[in-house]
Amino acid sequence: MASPIDETTLSTLSLLESRLLRIEHVIHGRDSPTAPASGEDSALQRMADLERRFGLITSRIRVYGELMKIYNANPDFFHAPKPSEIPSQLSPDAIRSIVLASAPSFSTTLSALTAIQDSPIPDPAESASLITLSDRMKAIEATQLAQAAEMAELRSRSEVALRAWFEGDMLPKSDFMADVEDRFEQVERAVKRRENEIERAKAI
């Protein structure tokens, strides 16, 4: 019976092999010509097979080979360090300049946090009362909307009534008065002509 350590090792190798198969499928566009190792192979044989196949990929694809060289030379590039750890690839002068450049943001953040802390918290009783008044506020809002609609209807009806009064009453009266003034001017001109004729007759 296999020990838990052997089972864990074989399970890890199976996962690595499945990832390698996916990589080979992406690269070659088809299934890998290399048959996967059977469950009867030893862990060392499977590791050797995985290393051989992985080495074949990195030797054929130049980009992967260069990435492996970079990873072997600087493994920190591929693992984000913890915030509490100082970056090992930076010099003390570079770290000091970064800290000094970020110093103003510390005071700004502290002031913002202090302002938030000093902000008064509303009284829970007032908040609860506002919540209880929400139904009444909704009713008032509905009433205001109804009143606004009624006012709009009244404005429309007033406009119709005003237009009817102006067009049905004022315009006809204005036309009548204009006609009367025109006839009065005509009569006045006729009277003046008659007076002028009488005066000329007396002069003769």
Side-chain angles (χ1 to χ4, degrees), residues 5-133:
I5 297 177
D6 294 336
E7 292 178 357
T8 304
T9 303
L10 293 175
S11 176
T12 303
L13 291 175
S14 298
L15 294 175
L16 290 174
E17 186 175 16
S18 63
R19 291 185 179 182
L20 184 59
L21 287 174
R22 288 199 297 269
I23 294 173
E24 290 175 344
H25 179 73
V26 171
I27 294 173
H28 299 292
R30 54 184 173 79
D31 293 334
S32 173
T34 304
S38 63
E40 298 178 354
D41 295 336
S42 64
L44 292 177
Q45 290 175 345
R46 296 181 67 178
M47 289 181 64
D49 181 64
L50 290 176
E51 290 180 357
R52 179 183 60 80
R53 289 159 62 187
F54 188 71
L56 184 62
I57 292 175
T58 55
S59 62
R60 288 184 177 180
I61 309 299
R62 181 179 178 183
V63 176
Y64 294 163
E66 294 296 330
L67 287 175
M68 287 303 301
K69 291 180 181 179
I70 295 174
Y71 176 77
N72 292 329
N74 301 283
D76 293 340
F77 288 166
F78 299 88
H79 299 283
K82 296 180 180 179
S84 58
E85 294 181 358
I86 299 176
S88 60
Q89 66 272 18
L90 295 178
S91 63
D93 294 335
I95 296 175
R96 188 182 301 109
S97 63
I98 293 174
V99 173
L100 292 177
S102 304
S105 63
F106 297 151
S107 58
T108 304
T109 305
L110 179 60
S111 300
L113 293 176
T114 304
I116 293 174
Q117 186 176 3
D118 294 339
S119 299
I121 300 176
D123 187 5
E126 295 180 358
S127 301
S129 63
L130 288 176
I131 294 174
T132 57
L133 292 176

Side-chain angles (χ1 to χ4, degrees), residues 155-168:
R155 284 195 296 268
S156 177
R157 293 172 59 183
S158 300
E159 182 181 358
V160 172
L162 182 62
R163 182 178 298 175
W165 171 77
F166 182 77
E167 295 178 352

